[in-house]
Amino acid sequence: MNIDILIIEDELPARRKLKRYLEQLTQPVQVVCECATVEEAIVFFERGGQVDLIFSDIALQDGNAFEIYQEIALKSPVIFTTAYDAHMLEAFESNGIDYLLKPFTFERFEKAWKKFLLFTKSETSIKLDKPAYKGRFTINTAKDSYFLAVEEIAYFLAEEGVVKVIDLAGKSHLMGLLTLKELEERLDPSRFFRINRAELVHKRAIQRMERYGKNSLAIQVEGAKQKLITSQANTAAFRDWVEG
């Protein structure tokens, strides 16, 4: 079975080098798409594109590759390939598993590839186990602490650097130091979905939805004062999830 690869790189010689290195590997691989711009990559994902691994440059013809990963709810690991080391921290916060500085040798490339294989093996092992998802959260205040059951949660909201949980009654609770990404990992994905960069909704709280613009949906969620809007990149996946 092939390992499907996406290459995001605006320099033709660099794409050719990556493909040449991929051909030297013992594992069967297939480059399913090559993108030279941020826009091309976003369109690939919006049309349902899925791969096992992404090789991504950072500085592209029309912008910064992190613009892609801010728009897309990315599930694939990324090996970044760039001539600059200034974005290393951002890379590892965006599903990055390695950071190849150009020009890199096949030996360095192979080391990154082996890291991906170990990552895949680890992910497969985790999926074989039954995940233990959170059943309730502890909310700490200046005076005391109390518990909020997952069944009481309508959605999570990231706002001005902090994450709040909104319950079904519309009351806001301040979370601790958890980010939305960390919350996603602790919640059952069949019950919670990240509809955009700032909001993670509970399926049971969704009351109705309607078209909003060309590729988005406006969702009425119990406890929300106004409708929540899906990002264009996540709308198709959200439709599949909410109807599942």
Side-chain angles (χ1 to χ4, degrees), residues 106-167:
F106 175 75
E107 287 71 25
R108 180 65 185 89
F109 169 87
E110 190 175 32
K111 184 177 179 181
W113 179 258
K114 288 178 179 177
K115 184 180 290 188
F116 160 68
L117 295 179
L118 286 173
F119 172 86
T120 304
K121 183 177 179 181
S122 173
E123 287 290 293
T124 302
S125 175
I126 290 172
K127 289 176 182 177
L128 291 175
D129 297 328
K130 290 185 178 180
Y133 297 119
K134 295 285 286 185
R136 64 179 184 175
F137 289 91
T138 303
I139 308 297
N140 298 307
T141 70
K143 294 182 178 180
D144 58 11
S145 299
Y146 59 93
F147 298 107
L148 185 65
V150 166
E151 288 76 14
E152 301 174 63
I153 295 171
Y155 67 103
F156 293 90
L157 170 66
E159 188 176 53
E160 297 181 350
V162 298
V163 175
K164 302 173 184 177
V165 55
I166 313 300
D167 65 27

Side-chain angles (χ1 to χ4, degrees), residues 63-83:
N64 188 302
F66 294 118
E67 296 173 36
I68 304 167
Y69 310 122
Q70 290 169 355
E71 288 292 324
I72 302 298
L74 193 65
K75 296 181 180 179
S76 307
V78 183
I79 295 176
F80 287 93
T81 59
T82 177

Side-chain angles (χ1 to χ4, degrees), residues 168-223:
L168 296 171
K171 183 179 178 181
S172 176
H173 309 262
L174 187 63
M175 297 293 292
L177 300 177
L178 290 174
T179 64
L180 279 188
K181 184 176 181 180
E182 290 170 327
L183 283 167
E184 279 187 283
E185 296 169 353
R186 301 184 183 196
L187 293 165
D188 185 346
S190 69
R191 302 171 70 185
F192 286 86
F193 189 93
R194 189 167 178 180
I195 62 171
N196 53 46
R197 291 177 62 188
E199 292 162 336
L200 178 66
V201 301
H202 193 174
K203 184 181 286 187
R204 68 160 290 182
I206 297 173
Q207 298 175 320
R208 60 181 58 87
M209 58 188 187
E210 60 189 47
R211 291 179 62 86
Y212 183 85
K214 186 178 179 181
N215 295 310
S216 295
L217 294 170
I219 307 168
Q220 183 63 59
V221 176
E222 187 175 354

